[in-house]
Amino acid sequence: MDLNIRDRVALITGATGGMGFATAEILAQEGCKLVLSDLDVENLKTDCEHLQSEHVCLEADVTDQGAVDAMVDKAMERFGRVDIVIHTAGITGAKGHPLEMTDADYEEAWQIDFMSAVRVARATFPHMRKAGWGRFVCITSENAVQPYWEEATYNTAKAALAAFVKNLSYKEAEHGILCNTVSPAFIKTDMTDGMMEKRAEKLGVSIDEAVESFLDEERPGIALKRRGRVEEVAAAIALIVSERGSFINGSNMRVDGGSVQAVQN
């Protein structure tokens, strides 16, 4: 399917590996020009060597508004516009009893998982408004609507992010900007690899056995009995940012294999 976004300029944060880079690969195939950012810019450049599209790799600390502004300025200098913004940067944050988490634990998740999106929106929306066309997608999580007790710092930041993007969708549509979220669950990434390595060590089992027991005990809604793949998330993102997704606004698309056991988001 032609997504009708050839020559659009897409900015992707958190683009080293994982869902961010899988999305970059799909958009490159669709003919988009890419602005890819991460703290680890050298590894990002290595990842991008095979991309068959015009692109630029930038180092950006999304906890710093000045750094975000500078990233967008460089994108504008290179391509003259930013049409699509896909914000994937984030962390899992500290885990444990919600009342045992420190102010610093909550603040870390808040700054990286929530405020970073606010900063990116501040820097990019004026350009998309001027053009009269734009797409803004943030990665939230199943945790935003189905929180897990030991992940309070992450839960609260992601729930706030979902509300923020919904807020934007009400007024930005009049400028031609569509704002949505995508909520993955238990995708095979470095983050979930690390989770399963710790689980395997704790239980004294193999990684595969750790995944299997996690699905049975912690994610019974995933009837497919496997982790998702980054390209499955990227495909959903690509649809939402395309012309084919031109009536999708203020929505949350779950890519979770059924993990969230509810009808409503």
Side-chain angles (χ1 to χ4, degrees):
M1 181 186 294
D2 182 359
L3 297 180
N4 293 328
I5 49 175
R6 179 166 296 279
D7 293 326
R8 291 288 187 187
V9 178
L11 185 156
I12 304 175
T13 67
T16 301
M19 290 175 276
F21 193 73
T23 303
E25 290 181 304
I26 289 181
L27 296 188
Q29 293 167 10
E30 291 295 322
C32 287
K33 300 172 183 177
L34 302 173
V35 180
L36 305 176
S37 78
D38 209 292
L39 283 175
D40 189 356
V41 72
E42 292 308 315
N43 276 340
L44 178 58
K45 289 178 180 178
T46 300
D47 290 342
C48 290
E49 288 176 355
H50 71 278
L51 288 181
Q52 299 298 309
S53 68
E54 190 175 355
H55 63 271
V56 59
C57 297
L58 302 174
E59 181 177 350
D61 179 357
V62 293
T63 67
D64 179 349
Q65 185 71 60
V68 172
D69 292 344
M71 170 185 67
V72 175
D73 287 345
K74 290 175 182 176
M76 294 298 295
E77 289 170 11
R78 175 66 178 269
F79 295 116
R81 64 187 215 256
V82 173
D83 303 302
I84 296 166
V85 179
I86 302 165
H87 182 56
T88 77
I91 59 168
T92 56
K95 296 182 180 181
H97 194 289
L99 299 182
E100 293 175 1
M101 297 295 97
T102 66
D103 287 8
D105 292 333
Y106 281 102
E107 185 65 20
E108 179 188 39
W110 185 254
Q111 290 298 327
I112 298 175
D113 289 334
F114 176 71
M115 283 303 302
S116 61
V118 178
R119 296 182 188 104
V120 171
R122 286 172 180 153
T124 57
F125 275 54
H127 301 296
M128 292 189 287
R129 287 173 185 154
K130 186 176 181 180
W133 194 99
R135 301 287 190 269
F136 183 67
V137 173
C138 289
I139 300 298
T140 55
S141 170
E142 60 175 326
N143 294 54
V145 295
Q146 181 170 278
Y148 299 98
W149 78 268
E150 76 280 15
E151 299 176 17
T153 62
Y154 184 74
N155 297 339
T156 52
K158 288 296 187 178
L161 179 57
F164 171 68
V165 176
K166 183 66 174 178
N167 284 162
L168 289 177
S169 73
Y170 293 129
K171 296 299 291 181
E172 295 302 328
E174 65 189 55
H175 302 291
I177 306 171
L178 306 184
C179 304
N180 296 284
T181 58
V182 171
S183 297
F186 204 38
I187 308 300
K188 190 181 186 322
T189 62
D190 289 344
M191 183 176 72
T192 61
D193 282 346
M195 288 171 55
M196 292 304 101
E197 287 167 6
K198 290 179 181 178
R199 183 179 181 86
E201 183 178 352
K202 180 180 179 180
L203 298 178
V205 298
S206 69
I207 298 293
D208 287 344
E209 289 171 323
V211 170
E212 184 177 350
S213 67
F214 184 82
L215 286 165
D216 288 340
E217 298 168 16
E218 305 290 343
R219 298 296 187 274
I222 302 181
L224 300 174
K225 297 300 179 185
R226 66 170 174 85
R227 283 192 283 179
R229 298 186 294 269
V230 291
E231 58 266 27
E232 292 172 316
V233 181
I237 296 170
L239 170 64
I240 290 172
V241 303
S242 75
E243 285 287 5
R244 302 290 186 180
S246 57
F247 202 57
I248 304 173
N249 184 47
S251 295
N252 174 52
M253 181 176 285
R254 296 177 185 164
V255 187
D256 66 3
S259 183
V260 174
Q261 296 179 296
V263 176
Q264 301 298 324
N265 284 331

